[in-house]
Amino acid sequence: MHKHLVVTSGPDKGRLFPLPQEDTLMLGRSRATETRLVDPHVSRLHCRIAVSGDIAVLTDNDSAGGTFVNGRRVRGPYTLLTGDKIRLGQTELEVRAISPDEVDTVPPRPTPAVAPAAPSVPLGELVGQTISRYEISAVLAKGQTGVVFHARDSEADLPVAFKVLMPQMTEETHRERFVRAMKTVLPLRHTHLITVYAAGKTGPYCWIAMEYVEGESLTQLVQRAGVAGMLDWRHALRVGVHLGRALEYAHGQQILHRNVTPMNVLMRAGDQKAKLGDLMLAKALEGAMAVTVTGPGELLGDVNYLSPERTYPDAAVDERSDLFSLGATVYALLTGRPPFADLSPIETIKKVRTGEAERPKKFQLSVPELFEKVVLKLLARRPEERYQSARELLDELEQMARVHGVTV
């Protein structure tokens, strides 16, 4: 079986393009591409897919109309797997595994017949508007899944972080999945989880109203650590304890986070308490938005913090995968870099699967050997060699904090 791109809709419907081995496939209208699509809404050099072994990574080439995978716009590297649907303009292509005897000759290029483009809604233009009862005032952050705004709950007179997802979730099944996932999150309350107050769909927008945390993300701390010197290991220890407690609570509710990364952790300015966000968002975005690992073989965005098992299609994941991501996050705080980062997503995935992280003491000599040992155990390739539960991890971290006089 070999992976192909099958054009399932648009003016090029029926065409078939094999993914190369150890090479790059360029998609677009230009004669310089291997596809030469007819669709006038596709850019000349729209996007590219780099392939190495069983890993295929898609990257948008700053196309005018954008590249969408399973309904979500992607710009940076995105790891493709069988069943993913790519949309360029009015053209949709599906990644399929096809045996040689199933491959027919590629149909000739059809006569263009293009449907009108679907309107897109720039989320930044929501500033100054009201959705449901939330008055939107400013953009706080932008990410792959949507935009987070500062807003005010006009009924409760309460500041909130108001996340609006990319307006691609239009099918009923996708709305139902989003609602089910958010209903699971709404009752949850923990001091180290960002509280979700409400969630819903208004017009084309799926939104989540959350606790507003005044502070900065761990991504900003990691960036400073990589430039201006390492973050004190005691701070990283406190973060590890806080995230461990959040995961212990979530796992006790039979919920996996699935996307523990520095971007999803906020440090509250007043008391330096770590707050983990986007709980269940991966589950909520399964399907149309395709940024989940709960469906077969789908990978969630940032490969720098994925566990090895998460990089394989159809792999079973459990709470030990979240603990690996916690370890990768703490490692980045100690060293200013993720444990397996490389120049390309493909090489990063290979390192995650087969590499060994460098010792944190190489970057920060003051890190206690026992703390270093804990972090490296979290990063073990085999799940059975890691801590088997958040409580097992916390027993060691909390004891270490007591020994070193660190308040957690």
Side-chain angles (χ1 to χ4, degrees):
M1 302 289 281
H2 182 68
K3 287 183 179 179
H4 289 69
L5 294 181
V6 180
V7 183
T8 56
S9 66
D12 291 276
K13 182 177 180 179
R15 298 183 67 196
L16 188 73
F17 307 107
L19 290 181
Q21 295 293 318
E22 306 296 331
D23 202 352
T24 298
L25 174 71
M26 188 73 71
L27 284 73
R29 290 188 296 109
S30 171
R31 292 177 180 271
T33 70
E34 290 82 2
T35 56
R36 296 179 61 187
L37 298 170
V38 172
D39 188 347
H41 294 276
V42 172
S43 296
R44 293 177 60 80
L45 301 174
H46 199 103
C47 64
R48 61 189 184 275
I49 300 174
V51 183
S52 178
D54 65 339
I55 305 171
V57 176
L58 179 146
T59 304
D60 182 68
N61 288 334
D62 295 320
S63 60
T67 300
F68 296 81
V69 180
N70 301 329
R72 178 178 66 87
R73 184 168 185 166
V74 295
R75 294 181 174 83
Y78 183 95
T79 304
L80 293 169
L81 289 162
T82 302
D84 281 343
K85 294 178 174 60
I86 306 166
R87 177 166 289 279
L88 323 174
Q90 294 300 305
T91 298
E92 185 172 273
L93 308 96
E94 183 175 341
V95 181
R96 294 182 185 172
I98 301 177
S99 61
D101 57 351
E102 293 179 289
V103 179
D104 299 320
T105 51
V106 176
R109 295 178 64 178
T111 303
V114 184
S120 61
V121 184
L123 295 182
E125 293 184 2
L126 292 176
V127 172
Q129 298 188 33
T130 298
I131 294 180
S132 184
R133 64 177 193 253
Y134 300 98
E135 301 166 349
I136 299 172
S137 59
V139 174
L140 292 175
K142 296 180 180 180
Q144 290 184 327
T145 61
V147 178
V148 180
F149 299 91
H150 185 280
R152 178 161 292 276
D153 182 338
S154 60
E155 293 184 9
D157 193 24
L158 178 74
V160 298
F162 191 74
K163 184 163 190 171
V164 181
L165 307 181
M166 297 301 179
Q168 310 301 329
M169 298 174 68
T170 56
E171 297 181 18
E172 186 65 29
T173 54
H174 301 147
R175 292 200 298 269
E176 290 175 357
R177 184 181 296 113
F178 175 78
V179 170
R180 285 197 305 271
M182 288 299 100
K183 281 183 177 179
T184 302
V185 174
L186 284 169
L188 302 181
R189 295 293 184 271
H190 189 272
T191 186
H192 295 296
L193 288 178
I194 294 175
T195 301
V196 175
Y197 298 132
K201 187 175 189 298
T202 303
Y205 306 110
C206 283
W207 52 265
I208 309 167
M210 303 172 287
E211 171 188 4
Y212 174 65
V213 179
E214 189 166 353
E216 60 183 346
S217 72
L218 288 191
T219 296
Q220 294 166 294
L221 291 181
V222 170
Q223 290 170 344
R224 285 210 304 274
V227 174
M230 299 306 106
L231 194 70
D232 188 288
W233 67 266
R234 296 170 184 82
H235 190 83
L237 173 60
R238 291 185 76 243
V239 170
V241 171
H242 293 177
L243 297 184
R245 290 171 178 170
L247 290 179
E248 180 187 31
Y249 173 76
H251 295 165
Q253 307 297 315
Q254 306 302 310
I255 295 172
L256 300 182
H257 189 285
R258 308 164 194 265
N259 193 23
V260 179
T261 69
M263 180 62 74
N264 286 333
V265 181
L266 293 177
M267 296 300 299
R268 192 158 64 188
D271 54 10
Q272 288 301 292
K273 181 178 289 186
K275 307 274 281 185
L276 179 61
D278 277 0
L279 185 67
M280 285 289 285
L281 186 58
K283 179 71 174 177
L285 301 183
E286 184 181 9
M289 303 288 280
V291 289
T292 181
V293 294
T294 55
E298 296 174 342
L299 291 182
L300 184 65
D302 196 341
V303 298
N304 291 306
Y305 300 93
L306 286 182
S307 64
E309 59 268 28
R310 287 270 307 280
T311 69
Y312 290 99
D314 304 321
V317 297
D318 56 29
E319 60 193 66
R320 296 172 296 183
S321 180
D322 277 350
L323 294 179
F324 181 98
S325 299
L326 184 158
T329 297
V330 172
Y331 184 99
L333 287 174
L334 291 172
T335 66
R337 49 177 285 176
F340 301 104
D342 208 304
L343 295 178
S344 74
I346 288 177
E347 292 305 315
T348 298
I349 291 173
K350 288 179 178 178
K351 280 189 173 183
V352 169
R353 289 178 174 179
T354 63
E356 298 286 345
E358 294 185 273
R359 295 181 59 186
K361 286 179 73 69
K362 175 180 176 181
F363 303 90
Q364 186 175 170
L365 287 174
S366 62
V367 177
E369 289 191 11
L370 183 57
F371 189 26
E372 178 183 72
K373 182 180 177 181
V374 169
V375 174
L376 293 178
K377 183 174 180 178
L378 285 166
L379 296 175
R381 286 199 298 272
R382 295 165 59 87
E384 57 268 29
E385 295 175 356
R386 300 174 205 150
Y387 293 96
Q388 299 303 289
S389 68
R391 175 34 57 189
E392 184 183 353
L393 167 67
L394 285 168
D395 287 342
E396 289 207 21
L397 290 182
E398 290 170 346
Q399 172 64 20
M400 194 182 311
R402 286 191 292 269
V403 169
H404 290 277
V406 178
T407 302
V408 292

